[in-house]
């Protein structure tokens, strides 16, 4: 499932897949539902971080830990 499918974010398919993979890892490790308010907040935050220039996978994971 590509959760970010409907987000207009100016991110290419490969980058979007990277963000999706990180999102999937984080929701599993946090035992949260992807389609929850918390999951949507996490998804939006990951996209925002990526657009702000944080594009390294490990850096995105670390920044998401502060949510």
């Amino acid at each position: 499932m590509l959760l970010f499918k409907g987000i207009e974010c100016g991110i290419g398919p490969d980058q979007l897949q990277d963000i999706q993979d990180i999102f999937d890892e984080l929701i599993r490790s946090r035992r949260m539902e992807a389609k929850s308010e918390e999951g949507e907040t996490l998804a939006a935050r990951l996209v925002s971080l990526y657009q702000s220039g944080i594009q390294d996978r490990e850096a995105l994971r670390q920044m998401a830990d502060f949510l």
Side-chain angles (χ1 to χ4, degrees):
M1 171 177 69
L2 193 59
L3 185 68
F4 304 105
K5 189 174 177 180
I7 296 176
E8 292 288 332
C9 57
I11 297 173
D14 291 338
Q15 294 84 17
L16 193 59
Q17 189 60 55
D18 286 343
I19 296 168
Q20 181 70 46
D21 292 344
I22 294 165
F23 175 79
D24 291 341
E25 292 171 21
L26 291 172
I27 61 167
R28 273 193 305 274
S29 69
R30 295 178 180 190
R31 294 184 172 99
M32 72 171 68
E33 294 291 325
K35 292 186 177 182
S36 66
E37 186 174 331
E38 188 177 22
E40 290 179 16
T41 299
L42 176 60
R45 181 72 174 140
L46 286 170
V47 170
S48 177
L49 288 167
Y50 194 93
Q51 288 179 316
S52 73
I54 301 169
Q55 299 177 352
D56 177 75
R57 292 175 64 100
E58 188 56 35
L60 281 170
R61 278 188 205 94
Q62 290 175 2
M63 294 297 291
D65 282 339
F66 293 108
L67 298 177

